[in-house]
Amino acid sequence: MSRKVTDKAVDNRAARHSHIIIVGSGFSGLGLAIRLSQQGRTDYLVLERGNDVGGTWRDNTYPGAACDVPSHLYSYSFALNPDWSRSFSKQPEIQGYIKSVADKYDVRDKHLFNCDMTGAQWNNDTARWEIQTSQGDFTADILVSAVGALCEPNLPDIKGINDFQGEIFHSARWDHNADLTGKRVAVIGTGASAIQIVPSIAKQVAHLDLYQRTAPWLLPRADRPYLLPEKLAFKYIPGAQALSRAAIYAARETQVVGLAKFPPAMKILETVARAKLRIEVKDPELRKKVTPNFRIGCKRMLISNEYYPALGRDNVDVVTEGIQEIRSGSVVTKDGVEREVDAIVVATGFHVTDSPAYDTISGRDGRTLAEVFESIGQQGYKGSAIHNYPNMFFMLGPNVGLGHTSMVFMIESQINYIADAVATIDRLGVRTIEVRKDVQDEYNAELQQKLSGAVWSTGGCASWYMDKHGNNTTLWPDFTFRFRSLLQKFDVSAYETSTSARTAA
């Protein structure tokens, strides 16, 4: 990707240096910044392309945006929030929480907002990262990628999509100036965003066509407002909120048995999902359309109490024929049917396994992350380091994703590991550090062995979790407390280190 130069006066300045540069300030980047500050460090900088902290919760402001993990678990363990309004929080409340944490721990002055990283290259001679951004050049001894998986919208490659004359936007870039009231709207996609958007706009639009490629499995959403006595208990009774959090965590971890250990156990959840489908979708033809054709858990399980009822509305149609093309004011499906629309909402997810950010980072041998991943798939070590990328750590790297519980738990595990790595590097006077290739290979072989018997890899399951090499490079195949234990301390013996200015061979 070519470097963007927007201000010569800025770009011509000498590169600014920080010992540690973190790219991104969602839950992961912000959490690491707080930990570094708690260690007494001031020699770090966070580069954030947005105008505030929050990451995906800052950007995803579509109607109905909410979390599918209970509030008490979807928060930092060191910054519990007794003021959650309900069991599953909505986007504005989550974003407000993240901002409040940034303020509480006073790390905003370590951020450079509206700063988009456009390139990063490892310099073997100086043993530093050279970083280009929309606000000039930087260098760093240690680079941490915390860009997250849900930050680059995935736009579908549909013939004529650029010729559409009405309002069209991705769910992650919602156009709040677009008034959909009384309009004919097409929603493309049936993932986590779509099942929240459709019920939120169905009542206001004249007609809604939902273009479905794959029907998702839905489970009940146990969402409710917290009662005043509960809020008071969370706020004033020591340990009450921590106990609630622990109970939620334990309940969620039970799903690992079916997902990763013994897939037949998923029949229990499938029975619940099928019962929900029968109760909430009365029309046999519609029920047939929205019944998944894959084993539950193979793809992300979604939760909603409003999605199926919304599909049953008179002004909503579920279209299962694939889209042939988009014209100036209509959508044409492969069966030749043309449906007129005034607006299109694209809810087709994100570039997770093929993030454009991978094209911007070049390692020790000059290859970009995209080139490395293209050749061997997304492989890393403990989701936190990748061979060929010295002095670089990754938040939410390969095989850190989850399908059942809070990613914040995994993020805090990585914060422990990376913060200890930085402390180890400084204590030992290490100049360069790079995970050993044999260690990374052994780690990934063990991961794929564990994944081979999981629900995501059996019974003909096909999803974006799998790469072109046939490997699941996205999900963690075990209990999350084992991930926490694995990353409790930095294992310097797994890395090649040097105290010279040049990387060890």
Side-chain angles (χ1 to χ4, degrees):
M1 182 177 291
S2 61
R3 178 184 168 193
K4 300 175 184 176
V5 179
T6 57
D7 188 334
K8 291 183 179 180
V10 171
D11 282 352
N12 287 337
R13 293 187 305 185
R16 289 162 280 180
H17 180 74
S18 287
H19 181 44
I20 305 166
I21 284 184
I22 303 168
V23 182
S25 190
F27 262 109
S28 56
L30 176 61
L32 181 58
I34 291 171
R35 177 64 63 83
L36 294 177
S37 288
Q38 290 175 329
Q39 289 181 333
R41 295 186 176 278
T42 59
D43 53 354
Y44 75 89
L45 179 66
V46 183
L47 307 180
E48 169 53 56
R49 71 178 183 179
N51 62 3
D52 206 342
V53 298
T56 191
W57 293 107
R58 178 197 61 232
D59 296 339
N60 283 266
T61 59
Y62 58 80
C67 191
D68 57 4
V69 174
S71 307
H72 288 305
L73 189 58
Y74 199 76
S75 52
Y76 296 117
S77 64
F78 59 82
L80 298 183
N81 177 23
D83 298 319
W84 292 119
S85 65
R86 58 190 313 111
S87 53
F88 288 84
S89 297
K90 296 183 181 297
Q91 178 271 333
E93 194 168 9
I94 296 172
Q95 174 62 357
Y97 164 77
I98 297 172
K99 292 168 66 174
S100 71
V101 172
D103 292 336
K104 177 180 178 180
Y105 290 92
D106 195 23
V107 293
R108 284 185 180 273
D109 64 342
K110 304 302 294 183
H111 284 67
L112 186 58
F113 293 111
N114 300 306
C115 184
D116 186 13
M117 187 187 81
T118 55
Q121 305 83 34
W122 172 254
N123 187 315
N124 282 310
D125 295 325
T126 62
R128 284 181 171 178
W129 282 95
E130 297 176 348
I131 303 160
Q132 299 81 46
T133 80
S134 58
Q135 294 200 37
D137 296 343
F138 296 83
T139 59
D141 301 311
I142 299 170
L143 178 63
V144 180
S145 171
V147 297
L150 307 180
C151 64
E152 294 290 345
N154 181 26
L155 299 174
D157 183 15
I158 300 174
K159 178 183 176 182
I161 193 169
N162 294 323
D163 299 326
F164 186 67
Q165 297 299 303
E167 294 154 320
I168 181 170
F169 45 87
H170 192 278
S171 58
R173 302 291 184 266
W174 193 270
D175 183 358
H176 290 278
N177 292 320
D179 185 2
L180 301 181
T181 304
K183 292 182 178 178
R184 299 164 299 184
V185 178
V187 176
I188 302 175
T190 52
S193 299
I195 70 160
Q196 295 178 341
I197 292 170
V198 170
S200 299
I201 68 174
K203 294 179 181 179
Q204 72 180 92
V205 303
H207 188 84
L208 190 152
D209 291 319
L210 175 64
Y211 289 86
Q212 171 188 281
R213 184 174 62 178
T214 305
W217 280 109
L218 260 65
L219 294 169
R221 185 180 182 88
D223 187 24
R224 63 177 181 82
Y226 282 123
L227 302 175
L228 180 59
E230 292 175 296
K231 292 182 180 180
L232 293 174
F234 294 145
K235 196 163 190 174
Y236 296 111
I237 298 179
Q241 191 174 9
L243 181 62
S244 174
R245 179 185 175 96
I248 295 168
Y249 173 79
R252 290 267 167 161
E253 282 297 278
T254 62
Q255 294 185 29
V256 177
V257 175
L259 289 170
K261 305 296 183 182
F262 185 64
M266 294 301 292
K267 279 292 184 182
I268 299 172
L269 286 180
E270 184 174 324
T271 300
V272 173
R274 288 189 181 278
K276 176 182 176 65
L277 185 57
R278 285 194 302 271
I279 293 170
E280 296 183 359
V281 182
K282 304 299 183 183
D283 181 355
E285 183 178 345
L286 176 59
R287 189 187 307 142
K288 183 178 179 180
K289 280 185 176 182
V290 299
T291 298
N293 59 2
F294 54 90
R295 179 188 294 181
I296 192 169
C298 168
K299 301 177 188 289
R300 183 177 176 182
M301 295 178 291
L302 307 178
I303 58 173
S304 176
N305 299 330
E306 302 173 331
Y307 181 67
Y308 286 148
L311 300 187
R313 292 177 57 89
D314 292 337
N315 68 327
V316 176
D317 286 328
V318 177
V319 183
T320 56
E321 293 76 17
I323 297 175
Q324 179 67 38
E325 67 173 315
I326 293 177
R327 297 175 181 170
S328 61
S330 63
V331 178
V332 181
T333 46
K334 292 180 179 179
D335 58 358
V337 176
E338 181 176 8
R339 295 174 176 85
E340 294 185 352
V341 291
D342 303 307
I344 298 176
V345 176
V346 181
T348 49
F350 300 86
H351 287 282
V352 177
T353 58
D354 60 343
S355 172
Y358 298 158
D359 291 308
T360 67
I361 303 173
S362 300
R364 175 172 48 80
D365 64 3
R367 288 185 299 164
T368 65
L369 266 176
E371 291 170 332
V372 170
F373 288 162
E374 175 67 19
S375 63
I376 64 171
Q378 287 194 63
Q379 296 183 19
Y381 179 62
K382 298 185 177 180
S384 306
I386 297 175
H387 178 70
N388 190 52
Y389 296 86
N391 291 22
M392 184 170 185
F393 296 98
F394 296 81
M395 300 294 296
L396 303 179
N399 289 104
V400 177
L402 300 173
H404 69 288
T405 192
S406 174
M407 283 303 302
V408 182
F409 185 91
M410 303 295 273
I411 286 169
E412 288 197 45
S413 301
Q414 289 193 282
I415 289 173
N416 292 338
Y417 188 75
I418 295 173
D420 193 43
V422 172
T424 301
I425 289 169
D426 289 352
R427 184 178 69 252
L428 299 180
V430 170
R431 186 72 182 277
T432 62
I433 190 164
E434 179 183 351
V435 66
R436 289 163 34 200
K437 181 69 162 57
D438 62 312
V439 171
Q440 179 173 298
D441 289 345
E442 182 180 356
Y443 176 81
N444 280 277
E446 291 177 358
L447 271 182
Q448 294 307 317
Q449 179 61 36
K450 286 185 177 181
L451 283 160
S452 64
V455 68
W456 315 293
S457 308
T458 58
C461 181
S463 71
W464 59 265
Y465 297 147
M466 313 296 289
D467 68 12
K468 71 173 188 176
H469 302 278
N471 295 320
N472 185 330
T473 59
T474 307
L475 298 176
W476 171 248
D478 208 334
F479 295 104
T480 60
F481 59 77
R482 288 185 174 160
F483 185 81
R484 175 65 59 89
S485 177
L486 192 65
L487 275 72
Q488 194 64 42
K489 296 289 291 182
F490 180 68
D491 48 346
V492 68
S493 62
Y495 293 75
E496 293 284 355
T497 63
S498 99
T499 54
S500 68
R502 201 174 285 275
T503 305

